[in-house]
Short mmCIF file of all heavy atoms in Angstrom, two decimals:
data_model
loop_
_atom_site.label_atom_id
_atom_site.label_comp_id
_atom_site.label_asym_id
_atom_site.label_seq_id
_atom_site.Cartn_x
_atom_site.Cartn_y
_atom_site.Cartn_z
N ASN C 3 206.18 233.36 255.42
CA ASN C 3 204.89 233.02 256.03
C ASN C 3 204.43 231.61 255.70
O ASN C 3 203.34 231.21 256.04
CB ASN C 3 203.82 234.06 255.66
CG ASN C 3 203.86 234.37 254.19
OD1 ASN C 3 204.45 233.61 253.42
ND2 ASN C 3 203.25 235.46 253.79
N GLY C 7 201.87 223.83 258.82
CA GLY C 7 202.23 222.43 258.65
C GLY C 7 203.71 222.17 258.72
O GLY C 7 204.19 221.13 258.30
N GLY C 34 188.75 205.97 259.96
CA GLY C 34 187.73 206.05 261.00
C GLY C 34 186.75 207.19 260.73
O GLY C 34 185.55 207.05 260.95
N MET C 44 174.71 208.91 266.09
CA MET C 44 175.87 208.07 266.37
C MET C 44 177.09 208.62 265.64
O MET C 44 178.19 208.70 266.20
CB MET C 44 175.54 206.65 265.89
CG MET C 44 176.38 205.58 266.53
SD MET C 44 176.39 205.70 268.31
CE MET C 44 177.92 204.86 268.59
N VAL C 62 198.97 217.69 273.89
CA VAL C 62 200.14 216.96 274.38
C VAL C 62 201.38 217.29 273.55
O VAL C 62 202.46 217.49 274.09
CB VAL C 62 199.87 215.43 274.32
CG1 VAL C 62 201.15 214.65 274.61
CG2 VAL C 62 198.78 215.04 275.30
N TYR C 109 166.15 220.19 252.38
CA TYR C 109 166.16 218.93 253.13
C TYR C 109 167.16 219.04 254.27
O TYR C 109 168.26 219.58 254.11
CB TYR C 109 166.55 217.78 252.21
CG TYR C 109 165.53 217.53 251.13
CD1 TYR C 109 165.64 218.11 249.89
CD2 TYR C 109 164.44 216.69 251.40
CE1 TYR C 109 164.70 217.88 248.90
CE2 TYR C 109 163.49 216.46 250.42
CZ TYR C 109 163.62 217.05 249.17
OH TYR C 109 162.70 216.82 248.21
N LEU C 117 177.60 219.18 257.11
CA LEU C 117 178.25 219.11 258.41
C LEU C 117 179.25 217.96 258.47
O LEU C 117 180.37 218.11 258.97
CB LEU C 117 177.21 218.92 259.51
CG LEU C 117 176.81 220.19 260.26
CD1 LEU C 117 175.75 219.85 261.30
CD2 LEU C 117 178.02 220.81 260.94
N ALA C 120 182.27 218.90 256.58
CA ALA C 120 183.03 219.92 257.30
C ALA C 120 183.82 219.29 258.45
O ALA C 120 185.01 219.53 258.61
CB ALA C 120 182.09 220.99 257.82
N LEU C 133 200.73 215.33 262.38
CA LEU C 133 201.82 214.53 261.82
C LEU C 133 202.96 215.41 261.33
O LEU C 133 204.12 215.19 261.70
CB LEU C 133 201.30 213.68 260.65
CG LEU C 133 202.35 212.77 260.03
CD1 LEU C 133 202.65 211.58 260.91
CD2 LEU C 133 201.92 212.29 258.65
N THR C 137 206.77 215.56 263.17
CA THR C 137 207.68 214.66 262.50
C THR C 137 208.48 215.45 261.49
O THR C 137 207.89 216.20 260.70
CB THR C 137 206.88 213.56 261.75
OG1 THR C 137 205.74 213.23 262.51
CG2 THR C 137 207.72 212.34 261.52
N THR C 138 209.80 215.32 261.51
CA THR C 138 210.59 216.07 260.53
C THR C 138 210.37 215.46 259.15
O THR C 138 210.10 214.26 259.04
CB THR C 138 212.10 216.02 260.86
OG1 THR C 138 212.52 214.66 260.78
CG2 THR C 138 212.41 216.54 262.23
N PRO C 139 210.50 216.29 258.12
CA PRO C 139 210.34 215.77 256.76
C PRO C 139 211.25 214.57 256.51
O PRO C 139 210.88 213.62 255.84
CB PRO C 139 210.77 216.94 255.88
CG PRO C 139 210.53 218.14 256.71
CD PRO C 139 210.74 217.73 258.13
N ALA C 145 210.27 206.92 256.81
CA ALA C 145 209.16 206.01 257.09
C ALA C 145 208.49 205.58 255.78
O ALA C 145 208.16 204.41 255.59
CB ALA C 145 208.15 206.69 258.00
N LEU C 146 208.33 206.54 254.87
CA LEU C 146 207.71 206.20 253.58
C LEU C 146 208.56 205.19 252.83
O LEU C 146 208.05 204.26 252.22
CB LEU C 146 207.53 207.46 252.73
CG LEU C 146 206.36 208.35 253.16
CD1 LEU C 146 206.32 209.62 252.31
CD2 LEU C 146 205.04 207.60 253.03
N MET C 150 207.55 201.56 251.45
CA MET C 150 207.66 201.23 250.03
C MET C 150 208.60 200.06 249.79
O MET C 150 208.79 199.65 248.65
CB MET C 150 208.12 202.46 249.26
CG MET C 150 207.07 203.56 249.18
SD MET C 150 207.43 204.76 247.89
CE MET C 150 208.92 205.53 248.48
N THR C 166 215.78 211.52 246.56
CA THR C 166 215.36 212.71 245.82
C THR C 166 214.44 213.58 246.68
O THR C 166 214.60 214.79 246.74
CB THR C 166 214.62 212.30 244.53
OG1 THR C 166 215.39 211.30 243.88
CG2 THR C 166 214.44 213.48 243.61
N ARG C 205 206.35 239.33 231.71
CA ARG C 205 207.79 239.64 231.67
C ARG C 205 208.39 239.56 233.07
O ARG C 205 209.48 239.05 233.26
CB ARG C 205 208.03 241.04 231.10
CG ARG C 205 207.98 241.07 229.60
CD ARG C 205 208.70 242.27 229.03
NE ARG C 205 210.16 242.14 229.02
CZ ARG C 205 210.83 241.20 228.37
NH1 ARG C 205 210.18 240.27 227.71
NH2 ARG C 205 212.15 241.19 228.39
N ALA C 206 207.64 240.08 234.04
CA ALA C 206 208.13 240.07 235.41
C ALA C 206 208.38 238.63 235.87
O ALA C 206 209.41 238.30 236.46
CB ALA C 206 207.13 240.75 236.33
N ILE C 207 207.43 237.75 235.51
CA ILE C 207 207.57 236.36 235.95
C ILE C 207 208.72 235.68 235.22
O ILE C 207 209.49 234.93 235.82
CB ILE C 207 206.23 235.62 235.77
CG1 ILE C 207 205.27 236.21 236.81
CG2 ILE C 207 206.39 234.13 235.96
CD1 ILE C 207 203.93 235.61 236.90
N ILE C 208 208.88 235.99 233.93
CA ILE C 208 210.01 235.41 233.19
C ILE C 208 211.33 235.84 233.83
O ILE C 208 212.24 235.05 234.00
CB ILE C 208 209.97 235.85 231.71
CG1 ILE C 208 208.79 235.16 231.02
CG2 ILE C 208 211.26 235.50 231.00
CD1 ILE C 208 208.56 235.59 229.60
N PHE C 215 215.73 228.94 237.46
CA PHE C 215 216.07 227.66 236.84
C PHE C 215 217.57 227.53 236.64
O PHE C 215 218.15 226.50 236.96
CB PHE C 215 215.35 227.52 235.49
CG PHE C 215 214.05 226.81 235.62
CD1 PHE C 215 212.90 227.50 235.91
CD2 PHE C 215 214.00 225.43 235.50
CE1 PHE C 215 211.68 226.85 236.07
CE2 PHE C 215 212.79 224.76 235.65
CZ PHE C 215 211.63 225.47 235.94
N GLU C 223 224.07 220.54 239.84
CA GLU C 223 225.34 220.01 239.36
C GLU C 223 226.37 219.98 240.51
O GLU C 223 227.04 218.96 240.72
CB GLU C 223 225.86 220.88 238.21
CG GLU C 223 227.01 220.21 237.49
CD GLU C 223 227.71 221.13 236.52
OE1 GLU C 223 227.04 222.02 235.95
OE2 GLU C 223 228.93 220.97 236.34
N ASP C 224 226.44 221.09 241.23
CA ASP C 224 227.36 221.15 242.37
C ASP C 224 227.05 220.04 243.38
O ASP C 224 227.94 219.38 243.91
CB ASP C 224 227.24 222.50 243.09
CG ASP C 224 227.96 223.61 242.34
OD1 ASP C 224 228.51 223.31 241.27
OD2 ASP C 224 227.96 224.76 242.82
N ARG C 240 224.32 200.85 250.96
CA ARG C 240 224.72 201.87 251.93
C ARG C 240 224.20 201.45 253.29
O ARG C 240 223.20 200.75 253.38
CB ARG C 240 224.10 203.24 251.62
CG ARG C 240 224.26 203.74 250.25
CD ARG C 240 223.44 205.02 250.07
NE ARG C 240 224.07 206.18 250.69
CZ ARG C 240 223.43 207.11 251.38
NH1 ARG C 240 222.13 207.01 251.58
NH2 ARG C 240 224.06 208.14 251.90
N LEU C 256 200.53 201.47 269.41
CA LEU C 256 199.94 200.69 268.30
C LEU C 256 198.76 199.86 268.82
O LEU C 256 197.70 199.83 268.19
CB LEU C 256 201.01 199.78 267.69
CG LEU C 256 200.56 198.97 266.48
CD1 LEU C 256 200.21 199.89 265.32
CD2 LEU C 256 201.62 197.98 266.05
N ILE C 259 195.74 202.13 269.41
CA ILE C 259 195.06 202.61 268.20
C ILE C 259 194.31 201.45 267.53
O ILE C 259 193.21 201.62 267.03
CB ILE C 259 196.04 203.30 267.25
CG1 ILE C 259 195.29 204.21 266.27
CG2 ILE C 259 196.86 202.33 266.44
CD1 ILE C 259 195.23 205.61 266.72
N THR C 264 189.31 198.82 266.19
CA THR C 264 188.45 197.62 266.25
C THR C 264 187.11 197.99 266.88
O THR C 264 186.05 197.55 266.41
CB THR C 264 189.11 196.51 267.08
OG1 THR C 264 190.51 196.54 266.83
CG2 THR C 264 188.55 195.15 266.76
N VAL C 270 180.26 199.81 263.83
CA VAL C 270 179.69 199.87 262.49
C VAL C 270 178.94 198.59 262.18
O VAL C 270 177.79 198.63 261.73
CB VAL C 270 180.80 200.09 261.44
CG1 VAL C 270 180.24 199.96 260.03
CG2 VAL C 270 181.43 201.46 261.63
N CYS C 284 165.94 203.28 279.35
CA CYS C 284 164.96 204.08 280.09
C CYS C 284 163.58 203.41 280.04
O CYS C 284 162.81 203.47 280.99
CB CYS C 284 164.85 205.48 279.51
SG CYS C 284 166.38 206.39 279.72
#
Side-chain angles (χ1 to χ4, degrees):
Chain C
N3 46 17
M44 201 52 204
V62 171
Y109 294 94
L117 260 179
L133 182 75
T137 324
T138 63
L146 284 176
M150 290 197 294
T166 313
R205 279 201 77 61
I207 291 184
I208 290 175
F215 267 88
E223 192 191 329
D224 283 1
R240 309 173 76 222
L256 183 65
I259 200 95
T264 323
V270 172
C284 294

